[in-house]
Amino acid sequence: MNSELPLIVQCRCNDADYRKENPEVPYSPQEIIREAVRAWEAGASVFHWHARDPVSGKWRNDVELYLEVIQGIREKTDLIINPTLGYTNAENNVQERVGYILAANKDPLLRVDMVALEFGSFNVDYWDSQAKEFITYDKVYSNSRAHIRDLLKILTEQGVFVACTCWDIGQIRTARYFQEMGLLSRNTLWDFIFTGDLMPSSPAPTLPALQAMIDAIPPGEQWLALCWHGDAMPLAAWVITLGGHIGIGLGDWPYTRFGKPHNGEVIEKVVQMAHILGREVATPAQAREILKMPPRPELPTRKQSNSAYAIAQ
């Protein structure tokens, strides 16, 4: 295990729309930039977001919305930029999904550090626990292996770090086959997705389920866990002690049991938990080293961790 390594904390700021429950969920580029800075100051080293319509909050693929956020984050932080790989529509248009990456990468300062790619398809119907039935019965996130292959070719050409987002063990196995094909780098971050009761498309966030996901990847490789539509705080405790990394934020859960927290305040609670459990938290520079990503010395920096640590090369 890698429990001696600093903990990488990914802020997931606005994936789902929980603004009715918590008004701190950001929509506009300036709101997203504000949350990135808050998360960075609290201890996050990776920042993940979806471009949204500034008024309605609907997911958008507009290149301009992404570039404005990237510019703002680069001016104020050294966060590892990890935007969504474009909102997926029914046509699964590859060029539309990577359009903002191609645009950002024209400027060395703005280039995208990391994207998460799902390695399979899955149902996305929501469960109504009171009515005891699904709200819909035909919603599918379609991600064929041909589509994955085409995306990987572009991302490899662009030099973008690909995190393997896996909603089940079958998707982990699929990703490993893409590594054997030479289309996916063996230097990756495994993103394990767990889900709450609203969308039972992945394992529930239990310790046996987490251990099964860990056992499915090569020993010693870096992994991160998150809980879509669920409270990730209990999961975070296991992740911290087992040597993984954590993704958390208002994009997955509104955390109203803490009032109306912004993303920085959610990140602060995970950082406090890590310190209580005896694990340091990685700065973005340390996270880049752990993930074997190129350094970005030209960016603003946060105070380094006080702990000494060594990363196996």
Side-chain angles (χ1 to χ4, degrees), residues 10-137:
Q10 177 200 62
C11 176
R12 298 173 49 77
C13 84
N14 69 349
D15 296 55
D17 187 357
Y18 281 110
R19 199 164 198 171
K20 289 181 180 179
E21 293 82 0
N22 187 339
E24 294 291 346
V25 174
Y27 285 173
S28 72
Q30 288 305 310
E31 291 170 346
I32 295 169
I33 294 166
R34 177 200 67 202
E35 292 302 282
V37 174
R38 286 172 166 175
W40 178 66
E41 291 175 341
S45 52
V46 182
F47 188 74
H48 175 76
W49 82 97
H50 289 243
R52 289 188 174 275
D53 184 284
V55 177
S56 71
K58 292 183 179 179
W59 281 351
R60 297 269 294 272
N61 272 344
D62 304 49
V63 170
E64 295 77 14
L65 292 176
Y66 279 103
L67 292 183
E68 184 176 349
V69 172
I70 293 171
Q71 179 76 47
I73 294 175
R74 287 292 190 233
E75 289 175 353
K76 300 174 185 294
T77 81
D78 63 340
L79 283 162
I80 294 174
I81 287 183
N82 175 209
T84 185
L85 188 52
Y87 169 58
T88 306
N89 55 32
E91 291 76 30
N92 261 359
N93 187 301
V94 170
Q95 290 302 319
E96 186 176 358
R97 292 188 74 183
V98 301
Y100 76 88
I101 296 174
L102 301 180
N105 285 7
K106 293 178 181 178
D107 185 332
L109 180 65
L110 302 184
R111 66 179 175 82
V112 173
D113 297 307
M114 173 193 295
V115 296
L117 175 60
E118 288 95 349
F119 279 82
S121 305
F122 47 93
N123 297 324
V124 292
D125 302 291
Y126 287 174
W127 173 250
D128 186 330
S129 59
Q130 294 187 340
K132 303 299 182 186
E133 66 177 355
F134 288 101
I135 297 172
T136 60
Y137 286 83

Side-chain angles (χ1 to χ4, degrees), residues 241-259:
T241 55
L242 289 173
H245 308 288
I246 187 69
I248 194 168
L250 300 182
D252 292 332
W253 195 246
Y255 291 100
T256 52
R257 65 187 175 99
F258 303 123

Side-chain angles (χ1 to χ4, degrees), residues 163-207:
C164 297
T165 301
C166 300
W167 291 69
D168 56 41
I169 290 175
Q171 292 190 12
I172 295 175
R173 296 177 66 196
T174 297
R176 295 186 68 177
Y177 283 149
F178 273 100
Q179 287 179 326
E180 290 187 21
M181 295 166 63
L183 293 176
L184 172 66
S185 172
R186 294 189 181 274
N187 180 40
T188 189
L189 174 65
W190 296 94
D191 288 349
F192 301 152
I193 311 294
F194 299 90
T195 59
D197 294 337
L198 181 64
M199 197 180 83
S201 302
S202 285
T206 66
L207 184 56

